[in-house]
Amino acid sequence: FNCGGGGGGNDLLAAVAATQRVTCPQGCGPGTTIEIQAPAANPGAGAPPPAPPPSASNTAPKAPATALGHQCAASAAAEQQLRTIQGAPPADLIFTAMDRDGNGNVTVEELQFGLSQGGNLQFAKRTCQMLVNMYDRDRDGNINRSEFASLWTYLSDWRTCFESHDRDRSGHISRAELKDAIEQIGYKFSGPFYERLFKIYDKENSNQLGFDSFIQLFCELHNLTEAFKRKDTSRTGQATFQYEDFLNAAYTIHE
């Protein structure tokens, strides 16, 4: 198997689930060893945006609320204030606007609703769930004000990266622009793999990727690379996996 190695405002710009298929040899089962070799990273790559934080716990988060409730006065007032601000508004004000019930937490649904308010784009729930999982340090299934500050900084950094490669200012990334972004961050793949990667995240077959698809791609690529690096302790670009270890690594894209 080939594996890659390597290294604002309220208008943050839908990603759909990426399916990865692995075909194992006949008779492959627990205890089978699979050797995986990764291509070398691009030595001239630029500095990537900050990586997702490590998971705070192995305990699965509780399921958040499933629907948006009535908007409280503080949320409505913050939302109105955001419309009058020129430039990048503070994360604290954005959090207050997203916290529609005023309970001090933002659910997956509130995050999805808030991120989709600007830019005429829709954030997919899968992408928002992934972001909550990354920054939900107390594992309660929601994002509190402190956690949101880190999440917003992360999104803003990726927004800068996205816009620097969106050369035609279309609000979307083309195949060539995605390849440039991947190589700048430090990954180096073959032409056919770039094409496969693009198709995985271009679920609508529109020949372009929006901002949240861009985020999902790089977060999942990062998770898989980190799983590979834990086995590639000598940093040679090669690793040996037991079969179950390999499956555990592959399924990190769902964390």
Side-chain angles (χ1 to χ4, degrees):
F1 302 93
N2 292 325
C3 175
N10 195 33
D11 62 341
L12 274 175
L13 309 179
V16 286
T19 300
Q20 306 260 339
R21 182 182 297 277
V22 176
T23 301
C24 297
Q26 185 175 3
C28 186
T32 303
T33 298
I34 302 173
E35 184 172 293
I36 304 174
Q37 180 170 350
N42 182 359
S55 176
S57 167
N58 292 326
T59 303
K62 301 174 186 176
T66 57
L68 292 177
H70 176 73
Q71 187 176 24
C72 70
S75 173
E79 197 172 88
Q80 182 63 35
Q81 188 177 349
L82 285 172
R83 297 191 182 101
T84 66
I85 291 180
Q86 298 295 322
D92 192 64
L93 183 63
I94 296 169
F95 177 87
T96 301
M98 287 191 183
D99 180 17
R100 292 176 63 86
D101 58 6
N103 69 349
N105 289 290
V106 167
T107 66
V108 172
E109 289 74 20
E110 287 174 331
L111 182 65
Q112 180 186 22
F113 181 83
L115 292 178
S116 300
Q117 291 309 290
N120 296 319
L121 291 177
Q122 295 296 314
F123 261 70
K125 187 173 181 179
R126 174 180 169 83
T127 306
C128 295
Q129 183 67 68
M130 178 186 67
L131 291 170
V132 169
N133 291 346
M134 285 163 49
Y135 285 93
D136 177 22
R137 291 187 291 267
D138 58 11
R139 313 306 291 167
D140 66 351
N142 303 302
I143 295 293
N144 61 35
R145 194 173 293 272
S146 175
E147 293 165 344
F148 183 80
S150 299
L151 186 157
W152 191 256
T153 297
Y154 179 73
L155 282 177
S156 298
D157 287 339
W158 274 115
R159 172 72 178 271
T160 299
C161 178
F162 180 88
E163 290 182 342
S164 71
H165 292 282
D166 179 19
R167 300 186 189 92
D168 59 3
R169 298 296 181 263
S170 66
H172 294 85
I173 291 290
S174 67
R175 281 175 168 81
E177 291 168 341
L178 177 65
K179 180 177 182 292
D180 288 345
I182 290 174
E183 293 187 348
Q184 180 186 348
I185 287 174
Y187 299 97
K188 188 73 173 179
F189 300 121
S190 66
F193 186 77
Y194 280 120
E195 181 65 20
R196 174 171 173 77
L197 197 61
F198 189 90
K199 287 182 177 179
I200 286 173
Y201 291 91
D202 179 23
K203 289 297 186 180
E204 297 179 357
N205 296 318
S206 61
N207 292 316
Q208 58 187 9
L209 299 182
F211 179 54
D212 64 337
S213 296
F214 184 81
I215 290 176
Q216 185 184 351
L217 186 158
F218 277 104
C219 287
E220 293 182 346
L221 190 58
H222 171 83
N223 287 346
L224 288 169
T225 300
E226 289 303 304
F228 179 85
K229 287 166 64 177
R230 284 193 289 271
K231 291 293 184 178
D232 180 22
T233 55
S234 61
R235 298 296 183 263
T236 61
Q238 295 183 329
T240 300
F241 286 72
Q242 294 295 319
Y243 178 56
E244 188 169 323
D245 290 338
F246 170 74
L247 293 179
N248 281 328
Y251 282 115
T252 60
I253 64 171
H254 299 292
E255 294 179 351

